Amino acid sequence: MAEVTLVIGAAAHCRDGFPGELKHLVVDPRARAVTHLVIEPDLEHGTAYGLARLVPLDHVDATEDGIGLRYTEAEFKDLSPAEEANAEYVPVQLLPATTGWRGAGEEVMQIRPVREVEEIDLVPENEVEESRGDHIHATDGHVGQLHALRVNAGDGRITQVIVKRHPWSRKELAIPADKVSGFDAGIQLSITKRDVQALT
């Protein structure tokens, strides 16, 4: 079965060229498979569409040139959101008094509400989100940060966890999926740091 490498941070685009970026990978820990990609529109287009979208893996074509989505811009817009903005207005921000614009010497106090926005991830129940830089832990300590996941193209099953610029080499390090014991609080391995080093 063909494999694809899903590099977090890779460019993504819809069939009609609408641009975005792969921000996170959604993993079903029990199946040990990627189910969705979290694609965020680029900054220029993001304001028109709000937050990132959940794209099912079976609607993705990953190549060395980036990630192709089997959607048009309009279809992408209708996908389930990957995050929710929880916005609230907090007490007003008082700006310093300034001379009135008419130049009459009057003091003007400007009052402006401050909006705080918290983004809440929306992933399917019992699944987890893996992001670039998530820590990868051997049984005896930290071994690096997540760069990508290599998966079977057909069913999304993870075959390798890719660590970039790990302590023992400047190259990528591919850790076989059978050495992964869990996807909670980063990625947990069932082997020691020495065992990881032996994979280089």
Side-chain angles (χ1 to χ4, degrees):
M1 187 177 289
E3 292 184 342
V4 295
T5 302
L6 303 172
V7 178
I8 301 169
H13 58 276
C14 292
R15 287 183 318 199
D16 52 6
F18 182 70
E21 180 181 332
L22 172 57
K23 299 300 282 188
H24 312 283
L25 297 168
V26 179
V27 173
D28 178 344
R30 291 171 298 173
R32 302 169 72 81
V34 172
T35 62
H36 295 82
L37 278 60
V38 175
I39 304 292
E40 183 174 89
D42 72 7
L43 291 176
E44 181 181 335
H45 297 87
T47 54
Y49 295 94
L51 304 169
R53 298 290 192 263
L54 284 170
V55 178
L57 182 64
D58 60 0
H59 283 73
V60 169
D61 295 309
T63 68
E64 290 182 9
D65 297 326
I67 295 170
L69 309 178
R70 299 177 196 166
Y71 295 103
T72 64
E73 176 182 349
E75 291 167 338
F76 175 83
K77 175 184 172 183
D78 289 336
L79 293 174
S80 298
E83 49 196 18
E84 176 180 89
N86 182 16
E88 65 178 68
Y89 284 91
V90 296
V92 296
Q93 176 183 5
L94 300 179
L95 300 179
T98 59
T99 303
W101 64 273
R102 292 194 175 111
E106 61 192 63
E107 295 294 308
V108 177
M109 179 66 76
Q110 298 175 340
I111 300 177
R112 179 175 75 188
V114 177
R115 188 173 181 223
E116 285 190 352
V117 178
E118 175 188 11
E119 291 181 359
I120 302 167
D121 294 332
L122 302 174
V123 298
E125 190 173 354
N126 299 320
E127 297 187 11
V128 296
E129 198 172 67
E130 298 295 345
S131 305
R132 175 191 287 182
D134 280 359
H135 294 284
I136 299 172
H137 302 278
T139 56
D140 56 352
H142 178 260
V143 295
Q145 294 180 319
L146 178 63
H147 174 64
L149 293 176
R150 191 163 289 139
V151 304
N152 285 327
D155 60 10
R157 285 195 176 272
I158 298 167
T159 60
Q160 295 176 322
V161 173
I162 309 297
V163 183
K164 194 164 188 177
R165 295 191 201 102
H166 58 90
W168 305 290
S169 171
R170 292 175 181 252
K171 300 185 306 181
E172 292 180 349
L173 170 65
I175 301 172
D178 63 0
K179 308 301 183 194
V180 174
S181 60
F183 293 91
D184 186 33
I187 295 177
Q188 313 299 321
L189 304 178
S190 60
I191 57 177
T192 66
K193 290 195 285 188
R194 180 173 294 209
D195 294 332
V196 173
Q197 188 173 1
L199 296 172
T200 58

